[in-house]
mmCIF file of all heavy atoms in Angstrom:
data_model
loop_
_atom_site.group_PDB
_atom_site.id
_atom_site.type_symbol
_atom_site.label_atom_id
_atom_site.label_comp_id
_atom_site.label_asym_id
_atom_site.label_seq_id
_atom_site.Cartn_x
_atom_site.Cartn_y
_atom_site.Cartn_z
ATOM 1 N N ALA A 146 8.999 -7.047 -25.189
ATOM 2 C CA ALA A 146 10.327 -7.551 -25.425
ATOM 3 C C ALA A 146 11.108 -7.597 -24.095
ATOM 4 O O ALA A 146 11.893 -8.516 -23.836
ATOM 5 C CB ALA A 146 11.053 -6.743 -26.455
ATOM 6 N N ILE A 147 10.896 -6.568 -23.239
ATOM 7 C CA ILE A 147 11.579 -6.558 -21.889
ATOM 8 C C ILE A 147 11.107 -7.721 -21.081
ATOM 9 O O ILE A 147 11.884 -8.412 -20.417
ATOM 10 C CB ILE A 147 11.298 -5.197 -21.209
ATOM 11 C CG1 ILE A 147 11.973 -4.054 -21.974
ATOM 12 C CG2 ILE A 147 11.779 -5.267 -19.757
ATOM 13 C CD1 ILE A 147 11.644 -2.682 -21.396
ATOM 14 N N VAL A 148 9.790 -7.964 -21.085
ATOM 15 C CA VAL A 148 9.242 -9.100 -20.300
ATOM 16 C C VAL A 148 9.738 -10.446 -20.853
ATOM 17 O O VAL A 148 10.105 -11.312 -20.096
ATOM 18 C CB VAL A 148 7.685 -9.035 -20.289
ATOM 19 C CG1 VAL A 148 7.113 -10.256 -19.601
ATOM 20 C CG2 VAL A 148 7.213 -7.737 -19.651
ATOM 21 N N GLN A 149 9.866 -10.558 -22.142
ATOM 22 C CA GLN A 149 10.399 -11.772 -22.754
ATOM 23 C C GLN A 149 11.803 -12.054 -22.216
ATOM 24 O O GLN A 149 12.120 -13.184 -21.867
ATOM 25 C CB GLN A 149 10.449 -11.636 -24.284
ATOM 26 C CG GLN A 149 9.115 -11.855 -24.962
ATOM 27 C CD GLN A 149 9.215 -11.699 -26.483
ATOM 28 O OE1 GLN A 149 9.719 -10.708 -26.945
ATOM 29 N NE2 GLN A 149 8.759 -12.683 -27.200
ATOM 30 N N ARG A 150 12.654 -11.030 -22.244
ATOM 31 C CA ARG A 150 14.034 -11.241 -21.750
ATOM 32 C C ARG A 150 14.065 -11.580 -20.255
ATOM 33 O O ARG A 150 14.881 -12.374 -19.812
ATOM 34 C CB ARG A 150 14.852 -9.987 -22.016
ATOM 35 C CG ARG A 150 15.114 -9.749 -23.521
ATOM 36 C CD ARG A 150 16.265 -8.733 -23.673
ATOM 37 N NE ARG A 150 15.987 -7.445 -23.107
ATOM 38 C CZ ARG A 150 15.352 -6.467 -23.724
ATOM 39 N NH1 ARG A 150 14.965 -6.618 -24.988
ATOM 40 N NH2 ARG A 150 15.122 -5.309 -23.139
ATOM 41 N N ALA A 151 13.144 -10.957 -19.497
ATOM 42 C CA ALA A 151 13.149 -11.167 -18.050
ATOM 43 C C ALA A 151 12.759 -12.593 -17.707
ATOM 44 O O ALA A 151 13.325 -13.220 -16.778
ATOM 45 C CB ALA A 151 12.211 -10.185 -17.408
ATOM 46 N N VAL A 152 11.757 -13.178 -18.414
ATOM 47 C CA VAL A 152 11.303 -14.524 -18.082
ATOM 48 C C VAL A 152 11.973 -15.562 -18.969
ATOM 49 O O VAL A 152 11.706 -16.796 -18.785
ATOM 50 C CB VAL A 152 9.754 -14.625 -18.210
ATOM 51 C CG1 VAL A 152 9.089 -13.707 -17.241
ATOM 52 C CG2 VAL A 152 9.288 -14.360 -19.641
ATOM 53 N N ARG A 153 12.805 -15.104 -19.946
ATOM 54 C CA ARG A 153 13.518 -16.039 -20.811
ATOM 55 C C ARG A 153 12.585 -16.959 -21.576
ATOM 56 O O ARG A 153 12.803 -18.174 -21.683
ATOM 57 C CB ARG A 153 14.554 -16.832 -20.029
ATOM 58 C CG ARG A 153 15.597 -15.999 -19.360
ATOM 59 C CD ARG A 153 16.580 -16.824 -18.550
ATOM 60 N NE ARG A 153 17.542 -15.968 -17.868
ATOM 61 C CZ ARG A 153 18.502 -16.453 -17.055
ATOM 62 N NH1 ARG A 153 18.629 -17.767 -16.914
ATOM 63 N NH2 ARG A 153 19.326 -15.634 -16.528
ATOM 64 N N ARG A 154 11.557 -16.383 -22.111
ATOM 65 C CA ARG A 154 10.618 -17.087 -22.983
ATOM 66 C C ARG A 154 10.338 -16.266 -24.231
ATOM 67 O O ARG A 154 10.445 -15.012 -24.199
ATOM 68 C CB ARG A 154 9.259 -17.352 -22.261
ATOM 69 C CG ARG A 154 9.347 -18.152 -20.963
ATOM 70 C CD ARG A 154 9.718 -19.627 -21.279
ATOM 71 N NE ARG A 154 9.605 -20.408 -20.082
ATOM 72 C CZ ARG A 154 10.547 -20.526 -19.131
ATOM 73 N NH1 ARG A 154 11.682 -19.883 -19.279
ATOM 74 N NH2 ARG A 154 10.379 -21.294 -18.068
ATOM 75 N N GLU A 155 9.959 -16.927 -25.318
ATOM 76 C CA GLU A 155 9.734 -16.216 -26.569
ATOM 77 C C GLU A 155 8.235 -16.189 -26.952
ATOM 78 O O GLU A 155 7.675 -15.190 -27.264
ATOM 79 C CB GLU A 155 10.551 -16.892 -27.675
ATOM 80 C CG GLU A 155 12.065 -16.734 -27.562
ATOM 81 C CD GLU A 155 12.490 -15.276 -27.715
ATOM 82 O OE1 GLU A 155 11.805 -14.529 -28.425
ATOM 83 O OE2 GLU A 155 13.514 -14.909 -27.105
ATOM 84 N N GLU A 156 7.574 -17.360 -26.914
ATOM 85 C CA GLU A 156 6.174 -17.441 -27.338
ATOM 86 C C GLU A 156 5.296 -16.688 -26.343
ATOM 87 O O GLU A 156 5.500 -16.764 -25.124
ATOM 88 C CB GLU A 156 5.749 -18.898 -27.438
ATOM 89 C CG GLU A 156 6.417 -19.671 -28.526
ATOM 90 C CD GLU A 156 6.042 -19.085 -29.890
ATOM 91 O OE1 GLU A 156 4.897 -18.651 -30.075
ATOM 92 O OE2 GLU A 156 6.940 -19.069 -30.810
ATOM 93 N N PRO A 157 4.273 -15.946 -26.815
ATOM 94 C CA PRO A 157 3.405 -15.183 -25.911
ATOM 95 C C PRO A 157 2.765 -16.049 -24.860
ATOM 96 O O PRO A 157 2.697 -15.622 -23.681
ATOM 97 C CB PRO A 157 2.367 -14.569 -26.856
ATOM 98 C CG PRO A 157 3.063 -14.476 -28.177
ATOM 99 C CD PRO A 157 4.003 -15.666 -28.230
ATOM 100 N N PHE A 158 2.287 -17.229 -25.192
ATOM 101 C CA PHE A 158 1.633 -18.096 -24.176
ATOM 102 C C PHE A 158 2.661 -18.532 -23.125
ATOM 103 O O PHE A 158 2.369 -18.533 -21.907
ATOM 104 C CB PHE A 158 1.031 -19.307 -24.784
ATOM 105 C CG PHE A 158 0.432 -20.271 -23.781
ATOM 106 C CD1 PHE A 158 -0.752 -19.969 -23.123
ATOM 107 C CD2 PHE A 158 1.097 -21.458 -23.445
ATOM 108 C CE1 PHE A 158 -1.288 -20.859 -22.192
ATOM 109 C CE2 PHE A 158 0.585 -22.320 -22.503
ATOM 110 C CZ PHE A 158 -0.621 -21.994 -21.866
ATOM 111 N N ALA A 159 3.936 -18.830 -23.539
ATOM 112 C CA ALA A 159 4.944 -19.214 -22.586
ATOM 113 C C ALA A 159 5.313 -18.073 -21.679
ATOM 114 O O ALA A 159 5.598 -18.263 -20.497
ATOM 115 C CB ALA A 159 6.143 -19.725 -23.348
ATOM 116 N N VAL A 160 5.291 -16.820 -22.189
ATOM 117 C CA VAL A 160 5.570 -15.642 -21.375
ATOM 118 C C VAL A 160 4.519 -15.494 -20.310
ATOM 119 O O VAL A 160 4.798 -15.262 -19.121
ATOM 120 C CB VAL A 160 5.654 -14.394 -22.267
ATOM 121 C CG1 VAL A 160 5.787 -13.178 -21.366
ATOM 122 C CG2 VAL A 160 6.858 -14.476 -23.213
ATOM 123 N N LEU A 161 3.221 -15.595 -20.704
ATOM 124 C CA LEU A 161 2.148 -15.459 -19.731
ATOM 125 C C LEU A 161 2.208 -16.534 -18.694
ATOM 126 O O LEU A 161 2.052 -16.275 -17.497
ATOM 127 C CB LEU A 161 0.791 -15.499 -20.488
ATOM 128 C CG LEU A 161 -0.439 -15.398 -19.591
ATOM 129 C CD1 LEU A 161 -0.422 -14.029 -18.824
ATOM 130 C CD2 LEU A 161 -1.709 -15.532 -20.438
ATOM 131 N N LEU A 162 2.500 -17.785 -19.120
ATOM 132 C CA LEU A 162 2.570 -18.904 -18.151
ATOM 133 C C LEU A 162 3.745 -18.658 -17.168
ATOM 134 O O LEU A 162 3.566 -18.960 -15.958
ATOM 135 C CB LEU A 162 2.764 -20.225 -18.885
ATOM 136 C CG LEU A 162 2.797 -21.495 -18.065
ATOM 137 C CD1 LEU A 162 1.449 -21.621 -17.352
ATOM 138 C CD2 LEU A 162 3.109 -22.695 -18.907
ATOM 139 N N ALA A 163 4.852 -18.128 -17.628
ATOM 140 C CA ALA A 163 5.968 -17.850 -16.748
ATOM 141 C C ALA A 163 5.607 -16.763 -15.702
ATOM 142 O O ALA A 163 6.008 -16.836 -14.547
ATOM 143 C CB ALA A 163 7.155 -17.439 -17.563
ATOM 144 N N LEU A 164 4.849 -15.749 -16.119
ATOM 145 C CA LEU A 164 4.448 -14.703 -15.178
ATOM 146 C C LEU A 164 3.548 -15.269 -14.092
ATOM 147 O O LEU A 164 3.610 -14.821 -12.929
ATOM 148 C CB LEU A 164 3.748 -13.580 -15.932
ATOM 149 C CG LEU A 164 4.621 -12.733 -16.866
ATOM 150 C CD1 LEU A 164 3.743 -11.746 -17.643
ATOM 151 C CD2 LEU A 164 5.682 -11.995 -16.077
ATOM 152 N N TYR A 165 2.674 -16.206 -14.451
ATOM 153 C CA TYR A 165 1.840 -16.842 -13.467
ATOM 154 C C TYR A 165 2.559 -17.812 -12.528
ATOM 155 O O TYR A 165 2.357 -17.824 -11.310
ATOM 156 C CB TYR A 165 0.689 -17.631 -14.139
ATOM 157 C CG TYR A 165 -0.458 -16.747 -14.656
ATOM 158 C CD1 TYR A 165 -1.075 -17.024 -15.865
ATOM 159 C CD2 TYR A 165 -0.850 -15.655 -13.930
ATOM 160 C CE1 TYR A 165 -2.097 -16.241 -16.329
ATOM 161 C CE2 TYR A 165 -1.901 -14.852 -14.380
ATOM 162 C CZ TYR A 165 -2.528 -15.156 -15.609
ATOM 163 O OH TYR A 165 -3.522 -14.345 -16.090
ATOM 164 N N SER A 166 3.451 -18.586 -13.109
ATOM 165 C CA SER A 166 4.106 -19.688 -12.338
ATOM 166 C C SER A 166 5.331 -19.241 -11.558
ATOM 167 O O SER A 166 5.703 -19.921 -10.590
ATOM 168 C CB SER A 166 4.502 -20.806 -13.302
ATOM 169 O OG SER A 166 5.414 -20.352 -14.268
ATOM 170 N N ASP A 167 5.958 -18.158 -11.938
ATOM 171 C CA ASP A 167 7.156 -17.675 -11.249
ATOM 172 C C ASP A 167 6.819 -16.452 -10.408
ATOM 173 O O ASP A 167 6.728 -15.331 -10.966
ATOM 174 C CB ASP A 167 8.257 -17.348 -12.263
ATOM 175 C CG ASP A 167 9.588 -17.019 -11.592
ATOM 176 O OD1 ASP A 167 9.576 -16.729 -10.384
ATOM 177 O OD2 ASP A 167 10.628 -17.026 -12.290
ATOM 178 N N PRO A 168 6.574 -16.630 -9.107
ATOM 179 C CA PRO A 168 6.150 -15.461 -8.302
ATOM 180 C C PRO A 168 7.195 -14.370 -8.198
ATOM 181 O O PRO A 168 6.830 -13.192 -8.060
ATOM 182 C CB PRO A 168 5.839 -16.083 -6.952
ATOM 183 C CG PRO A 168 6.637 -17.345 -6.903
ATOM 184 C CD PRO A 168 6.670 -17.850 -8.309
ATOM 185 N N VAL A 169 8.494 -14.741 -8.325
ATOM 186 C CA VAL A 169 9.540 -13.727 -8.230
ATOM 187 C C VAL A 169 9.528 -12.839 -9.480
ATOM 188 O O VAL A 169 9.519 -11.592 -9.371
ATOM 189 C CB VAL A 169 10.922 -14.371 -8.007
ATOM 190 C CG1 VAL A 169 12.004 -13.318 -8.051
ATOM 191 C CG2 VAL A 169 10.947 -15.097 -6.679
ATOM 192 N N ALA A 170 9.557 -13.519 -10.634
ATOM 193 C CA ALA A 170 9.569 -12.741 -11.886
ATOM 194 C C ALA A 170 8.282 -11.953 -12.054
ATOM 195 O O ALA A 170 8.298 -10.765 -12.409
ATOM 196 C CB ALA A 170 9.756 -13.712 -13.103
ATOM 197 N N GLY A 171 7.121 -12.629 -11.812
ATOM 198 C CA GLY A 171 5.858 -11.886 -11.965
ATOM 199 C C GLY A 171 5.725 -10.744 -11.022
ATOM 200 O O GLY A 171 5.275 -9.663 -11.353
ATOM 201 N N GLY A 172 6.119 -10.976 -9.717
ATOM 202 C CA GLY A 172 6.028 -9.907 -8.720
ATOM 203 C C GLY A 172 6.970 -8.745 -9.011
ATOM 204 O O GLY A 172 6.602 -7.575 -8.872
ATOM 205 N N THR A 173 8.187 -9.016 -9.393
ATOM 206 C CA THR A 173 9.172 -7.972 -9.671
ATOM 207 C C THR A 173 8.754 -7.148 -10.880
ATOM 208 O O THR A 173 8.790 -5.886 -10.819
ATOM 209 C CB THR A 173 10.555 -8.594 -9.950
ATOM 210 O OG1 THR A 173 10.992 -9.332 -8.808
ATOM 211 C CG2 THR A 173 11.579 -7.496 -10.226
ATOM 212 N N LEU A 174 8.303 -7.790 -11.954
ATOM 213 C CA LEU A 174 7.849 -7.057 -13.119
ATOM 214 C C LEU A 174 6.607 -6.241 -12.844
ATOM 215 O O LEU A 174 6.419 -5.148 -13.378
ATOM 216 C CB LEU A 174 7.607 -8.027 -14.276
ATOM 217 C CG LEU A 174 8.895 -8.640 -14.883
ATOM 218 C CD1 LEU A 174 8.528 -9.752 -15.855
ATOM 219 C CD2 LEU A 174 9.730 -7.607 -15.588
ATOM 220 N N SER A 175 5.750 -6.728 -11.949
ATOM 221 C CA SER A 175 4.570 -5.973 -11.567
ATOM 222 C C SER A 175 4.941 -4.702 -10.795
ATOM 223 O O SER A 175 4.264 -3.651 -11.008
ATOM 224 C CB SER A 175 3.617 -6.801 -10.751
ATOM 225 O OG SER A 175 3.145 -7.931 -11.481
ATOM 226 N N LEU A 176 5.928 -4.777 -9.961
ATOM 227 C CA LEU A 176 6.357 -3.604 -9.204
ATOM 228 C C LEU A 176 7.070 -2.590 -10.112
ATOM 229 O O LEU A 176 6.988 -1.388 -9.896
ATOM 230 C CB LEU A 176 7.268 -4.029 -8.054
ATOM 231 C CG LEU A 176 6.618 -4.844 -6.939
ATOM 232 C CD1 LEU A 176 7.649 -5.312 -5.934
ATOM 233 C CD2 LEU A 176 5.516 -4.036 -6.241
ATOM 234 N N LEU A 177 7.786 -3.087 -11.080
ATOM 235 C CA LEU A 177 8.593 -2.182 -11.983
ATOM 236 C C LEU A 177 7.703 -1.568 -13.065
ATOM 237 O O LEU A 177 7.955 -0.400 -13.446
ATOM 238 C CB LEU A 177 9.717 -2.942 -12.586
ATOM 239 C CG LEU A 177 10.841 -3.439 -11.630
ATOM 240 C CD1 LEU A 177 11.837 -4.282 -12.395
ATOM 241 C CD2 LEU A 177 11.538 -2.230 -10.982
ATOM 242 N N TYR A 178 6.713 -2.299 -13.556
ATOM 243 C CA TYR A 178 5.946 -1.816 -14.696
ATOM 244 C C TYR A 178 4.468 -1.913 -14.361
ATOM 245 O O TYR A 178 3.904 -3.039 -14.267
ATOM 246 C CB TYR A 178 6.279 -2.645 -15.954
ATOM 247 C CG TYR A 178 7.731 -2.617 -16.309
ATOM 248 C CD1 TYR A 178 8.591 -3.663 -16.023
ATOM 249 C CD2 TYR A 178 8.238 -1.520 -16.964
ATOM 250 C CE1 TYR A 178 9.900 -3.631 -16.356
ATOM 251 C CE2 TYR A 178 9.594 -1.420 -17.337
ATOM 252 C CZ TYR A 178 10.413 -2.516 -17.017
ATOM 253 O OH TYR A 178 11.760 -2.457 -17.378
ATOM 254 N N PRO A 179 3.766 -0.816 -14.152
ATOM 255 C CA PRO A 179 2.362 -0.813 -13.742
ATOM 256 C C PRO A 179 1.484 -1.560 -14.812
ATOM 257 O O PRO A 179 0.483 -2.179 -14.444
ATOM 258 C CB PRO A 179 1.980 0.649 -13.650
ATOM 259 C CG PRO A 179 3.297 1.364 -13.395
ATOM 260 C CD PRO A 179 4.321 0.570 -14.089
ATOM 261 N N GLN A 180 1.885 -1.484 -16.095
ATOM 262 C CA GLN A 180 1.084 -2.172 -17.119
ATOM 263 C C GLN A 180 1.058 -3.679 -16.870
ATOM 264 O O GLN A 180 0.043 -4.325 -17.064
ATOM 265 C CB GLN A 180 1.636 -1.904 -18.471
ATOM 266 C CG GLN A 180 1.780 -0.413 -18.834
ATOM 267 C CD GLN A 180 3.156 0.158 -18.543
ATOM 268 O OE1 GLN A 180 3.695 -0.070 -17.466
ATOM 269 N NE2 GLN A 180 3.683 0.891 -19.530
ATOM 270 N N VAL A 181 2.194 -4.256 -16.459
ATOM 271 C CA VAL A 181 2.222 -5.663 -16.148
ATOM 272 C C VAL A 181 1.342 -5.987 -14.963
ATOM 273 O O VAL A 181 0.569 -6.971 -14.947
ATOM 274 C CB VAL A 181 3.676 -6.155 -15.901
ATOM 275 C CG1 VAL A 181 3.721 -7.601 -15.496
ATOM 276 C CG2 VAL A 181 4.524 -5.932 -17.163
ATOM 277 N N ALA A 182 1.409 -5.192 -13.933
ATOM 278 C CA ALA A 182 0.601 -5.393 -12.715
ATOM 279 C C ALA A 182 -0.883 -5.372 -13.061
ATOM 280 O O ALA A 182 -1.690 -6.175 -12.556
ATOM 281 C CB ALA A 182 0.945 -4.356 -11.643
ATOM 282 N N ASP A 183 -1.299 -4.398 -13.901
ATOM 283 C CA ASP A 183 -2.691 -4.300 -14.239
ATOM 284 C C ASP A 183 -3.139 -5.471 -15.052
ATOM 285 O O ASP A 183 -4.270 -6.007 -14.870
ATOM 286 C CB ASP A 183 -2.916 -2.993 -15.043
ATOM 287 C CG ASP A 183 -2.750 -1.719 -14.172
ATOM 288 O OD1 ASP A 183 -2.820 -1.854 -12.931
ATOM 289 O OD2 ASP A 183 -2.537 -0.654 -14.768
ATOM 290 N N LEU A 184 -2.340 -5.970 -15.984
ATOM 291 C CA LEU A 184 -2.733 -7.073 -16.828
ATOM 292 C C LEU A 184 -2.736 -8.413 -16.051
ATOM 293 O O LEU A 184 -3.363 -9.362 -16.498
ATOM 294 C CB LEU A 184 -1.809 -7.182 -18.031
ATOM 295 C CG LEU A 184 -1.887 -6.021 -19.045
ATOM 296 C CD1 LEU A 184 -0.904 -6.185 -20.151
ATOM 297 C CD2 LEU A 184 -3.321 -5.984 -19.606
ATOM 298 N N LEU A 185 -2.012 -8.486 -14.935
ATOM 299 C CA LEU A 185 -2.035 -9.688 -14.086
ATOM 300 C C LEU A 185 -3.047 -9.508 -12.920
ATOM 301 O O LEU A 185 -3.116 -10.377 -12.069
ATOM 302 C CB LEU A 185 -0.641 -9.960 -13.536
ATOM 303 C CG LEU A 185 0.450 -10.305 -14.574
ATOM 304 C CD1 LEU A 185 1.754 -10.562 -13.876
ATOM 305 C CD2 LEU A 185 0.024 -11.512 -15.359
ATOM 306 N N ALA A 186 -3.756 -8.389 -12.884
ATOM 307 C CA ALA A 186 -4.736 -8.077 -11.840
ATOM 308 C C ALA A 186 -4.077 -8.061 -10.474
ATOM 309 O O ALA A 186 -4.652 -8.500 -9.486
ATOM 310 C CB ALA A 186 -5.893 -9.075 -11.861
ATOM 311 N N ARG A 187 -2.847 -7.555 -10.411
ATOM 312 C CA ARG A 187 -2.159 -7.476 -9.162
ATOM 313 C C ARG A 187 -2.108 -6.082 -8.551
ATOM 314 O O ARG A 187 -1.512 -5.866 -7.518
ATOM 315 C CB ARG A 187 -0.739 -7.983 -9.321
ATOM 316 C CG ARG A 187 -0.658 -9.449 -9.630
ATOM 317 C CD ARG A 187 0.769 -9.981 -9.550
ATOM 318 N NE ARG A 187 0.804 -11.421 -9.661
ATOM 319 C CZ ARG A 187 1.912 -12.134 -9.576
ATOM 320 N NH1 ARG A 187 3.061 -11.534 -9.357
ATOM 321 N NH2 ARG A 187 1.881 -13.434 -9.662
ATOM 322 N N ARG A 188 -2.752 -5.108 -9.237
ATOM 323 C CA ARG A 188 -2.710 -3.736 -8.777
ATOM 324 C C ARG A 188 -4.124 -3.133 -8.864
ATOM 325 O O ARG A 188 -4.859 -3.388 -9.815
ATOM 326 C CB ARG A 188 -1.744 -2.910 -9.598
ATOM 327 C CG ARG A 188 -1.575 -1.504 -9.095
ATOM 328 C CD ARG A 188 -0.633 -0.669 -9.976
ATOM 329 N NE ARG A 188 -1.337 -0.156 -11.189
ATOM 330 C CZ ARG A 188 -1.139 1.057 -11.680
ATOM 331 N NH1 ARG A 188 -0.224 1.854 -11.161
ATOM 332 N NH2 ARG A 188 -1.796 1.432 -12.757
ATOM 333 N N PHE A 189 -4.423 -2.319 -7.869
ATOM 334 C CA PHE A 189 -5.681 -1.560 -7.915
ATOM 335 C C PHE A 189 -5.372 -0.131 -7.448
ATOM 336 O O PHE A 189 -4.726 0.060 -6.425
ATOM 337 C CB PHE A 189 -6.756 -2.188 -7.049
ATOM 338 C CG PHE A 189 -8.019 -1.389 -6.969
ATOM 339 C CD1 PHE A 189 -8.856 -1.300 -8.065
ATOM 340 C CD2 PHE A 189 -8.307 -0.655 -5.813
ATOM 341 C CE1 PHE A 189 -10.036 -0.542 -8.005
ATOM 342 C CE2 PHE A 189 -9.495 0.122 -5.772
ATOM 343 C CZ PHE A 189 -10.342 0.163 -6.875
#
Side-chain angles (χ1 to χ4, degrees):
I147 294 175
V148 176
Q149 282 179 307
R150 292 195 299 270
V152 299
R153 300 179 182 179
R154 300 290 190 276
E155 292 294 331
E156 293 296 324
F158 176 75
V160 172
L161 180 61
L162 184 62
L164 291 175
Y165 282 142
S166 60
D167 187 342
V169 175
T173 302
L174 290 169
S175 296
L176 293 174
L177 294 175
Y178 302 101
Q180 303 95 313
V181 176
D183 291 340
L184 293 177
L185 296 180
R187 292 191 173 183
R188 185 183 83 141
F189 176 72

